[in-house]
Amino acid sequence: MIGTTRDTTFIRSAMACALAAAGMAAHAQSNVTIYGIIDSTVEAASAKGATAAGKDVPQLWRENSNSSLIGFKGTEDLGGGMSAMFQIEYGLNVDQGTGGAPNRDTFVGLAGGFGSVKMGFLTSPMRGLGGKLNWIPGSTSIANNIGIFTTLNGQALGLNSRIPNAVIYNSPKVSGFEGALMYSFAESKPAKNDSAFGLGLTMDRDPFWVGYAYEARKDRGVLAAMPSTDWEHRLAVRYTWGDTKFSLGFDRHGSDGTYGTGAGAGNGTTQRDAFGLAVSHTVGLHEFIGHVVRANNLKCSGAATTGQCAAANVSETNASQWALVYHYWLSKRTMLQAFATRITNARNAKYDFDVNPVTADYATRPAGADPTGVGFGIRHAF
């Protein structure tokens, strides 16, 4: 289980208000939809083989909620081919019966022949491309490979998270091509310039789908001290051959900024490359998925010479992951699932699962331990 526990009275009141608002809006707008996903799994997870003695995480049985949600979205026809749109999404922890404020994509926007513009708390082109790196619906559960693709030695810099204070423009699709531009305003000034910029380009020409995204977020101060820029390049290629689908992924992720302290402080960079292959094969109502992904050792330059970038550590910061997944589709909306997965960390590597990690706190996560899990569950979309 993962997520912030909120006061359930507040949550129920918020849900009731949102439902009432959606019901009233239905009379004024051309389309209002209530939708959601409930995804729950029972898992056995552990992290053994830690570099330091006594740091293993023993096997734990747990029930997890995998990015479950409820949402409200609607459109209004403005005429002339233009429409207004809105969306409000709440994340849910179905294992605990809790949730929170609208902490998923929440926005208002316009769409027309020019494409679309959205304003709010949004999925960036970079985050959106993450779901194309495997074939697991919603790219959720511990079986997905995002924990390897989107972190630097397990340290999340935030580029795979939704972004606040954002405006995103999506172009119309032309001959299978579609582009996107994103900007997030620096509302923490003058303390820090925490703006962000991103772009994306996709090509959809059956049987190929290709996507590229770039994103840079300033002054997050997660790895490099401010002023800093955390950046990422990501490429995904998909190919469909009958009932078999393939996905190839590449990701280059880095952090530029100030490293070290005192007289030893200076500009530096920490970065790494990751590669992956995912395959899905369907036989009737049965779906079989497998993927492998590898994160190379960190590459450190400039003043980035201490900690995980120290010469004695950096050569053993690589990791790999495999997963085998089985889905049985009871209907178009309901799916049974079972999976097994393992991350193999080098001596100084600290990669873990993206959704529901074995050790959520990066500071206490044991280096060299290998997160391993098996599970089964049910996913229903409405």
Side-chain angles (χ1 to χ4, degrees):
M1 57 188 174
I2 190 169
T4 303
T5 302
R6 308 271 185 169
D7 180 77
T8 54
T9 301
F10 165 77
I11 296 163
R12 290 171 181 169
S13 298
M15 293 294 187
C17 291
L19 286 167
M24 290 186 292
H27 296 289
Q29 301 187 44
S30 58
N31 177 44
V32 174
T33 302
I34 301 174
Y35 64 95
I37 294 173
I38 304 295
D39 189 323
S40 183
T41 54
V42 173
E43 303 166 357
S46 65
K48 299 180 180 180
T51 301
K55 296 294 185 179
D56 284 355
V57 180
Q59 181 170 291
L60 171 68
W61 281 94
R62 60 188 187 178
E63 181 184 355
N64 279 328
S65 176
N66 303 302
S67 302
S68 299
L69 63 95
I70 185 169
F72 313 89
K73 61 183 178 181
T75 61
E76 179 186 18
D77 187 354
L78 301 176
M82 184 178 292
S83 62
M85 57 184 171
F86 78 91
Q87 179 175 296
I88 305 171
E89 273 192 6
Y90 293 79
L92 302 175
N93 297 313
V94 299
D95 53 335
Q96 294 185 335
T98 61
N103 54 2
R104 296 175 61 91
D105 283 42
T106 299
F107 60 83
V108 66
L110 294 173
F114 61 89
S116 67
V117 176
K118 299 176 183 177
M119 302 169 60
F121 185 58
L122 297 164
T123 289
S124 67
M126 178 64 67
R127 176 180 170 83
L129 197 58
K132 300 297 185 179
L133 299 173
N134 59 58
W135 296 102
I136 299 171
S139 195
T140 189
S141 89
I142 64 172
N144 82 60
N145 55 20
I146 302 302
I148 300 287
F149 269 117
T150 63
T151 64
L152 280 175
N153 194 17
Q155 176 69 67
L157 302 186
L159 278 79
N160 198 53
S161 61
R162 293 174 178 83
I163 191 161
N165 311 314
V167 177
I168 293 183
Y169 167 71
N170 288 92
S171 74
K173 185 176 290 188
V174 178
S175 299
F177 289 88
E178 184 177 358
L181 290 174
M182 179 276 293
Y183 185 78
S184 173
F185 294 90
E187 296 193 3
S188 296
K189 281 185 173 180
K192 57 181 179 179
N193 176 25
D194 56 345
S195 62
F197 169 77
L199 57 86
L201 178 65
T202 62
M203 182 202 75
D204 188 0
R205 290 187 172 182
D206 192 54
F208 282 100
W209 185 97
V210 181
Y212 166 77
Y214 169 78
E215 186 168 325
R217 300 193 186 191
K218 293 184 176 296
D219 285 2
R220 266 45 181 189
V222 177
L223 194 58
M226 298 183 290
S228 65
T229 301
D230 300 331
W231 51 268
E232 193 164 7
H233 296 270
R234 184 173 297 164
L235 177 68
V237 180
R238 286 185 162 194
Y239 177 76
T240 301
W241 183 32
D243 295 325
T244 304
K245 298 178 290 186
F246 302 89
S247 175
L248 290 171
F250 167 77
D251 185 276
R252 175 167 290 177
H253 197 4
S255 182
D256 300 335
T258 302
Y259 289 83
T261 58
N267 293 329
T269 297
T270 303
Q271 71 176 68
R272 69 96 188 95
D273 292 342
F275 309 83
L277 167 67
V279 180
S280 171
H281 181 68
T282 302
V283 181
L285 302 176
H286 307 272
E287 185 177 22
F288 303 90
I289 297 172
H291 69 243
V292 292
V293 58
R294 176 180 172 82
N296 289 346
N297 288 323
L298 296 176
K299 293 181 179 180
C300 305
S301 59
T305 58
T306 61
Q308 61 183 353
C309 280
N313 299 333
V314 72
S315 63
E316 295 186 85
T317 53
N318 63 83
S320 60
Q321 181 185 7
W322 61 262
L324 297 174
V325 183
Y326 168 71
H327 294 157
Y328 181 74
W329 291 90
L330 296 169
S331 70
K332 290 183 178 180
R333 298 188 305 272
T334 304
M335 177 191 81
L336 301 180
Q337 55 184 314
F339 50 81
T341 185
R342 179 181 178 87
I343 295 175
T344 302
N345 279 308
R347 180 180 176 81
N348 298 308
K350 299 176 67 173
Y351 288 93
D352 207 329
F353 304 124
D354 175 68
V355 178
N356 304 309
V358 177
T359 305
D361 181 11
Y362 183 80
T364 61
R365 185 178 299 167
D370 301 329
T372 304
V374 296
F376 62 90
I378 304 171
R379 178 184 175 92
H380 177 76
F382 61 91

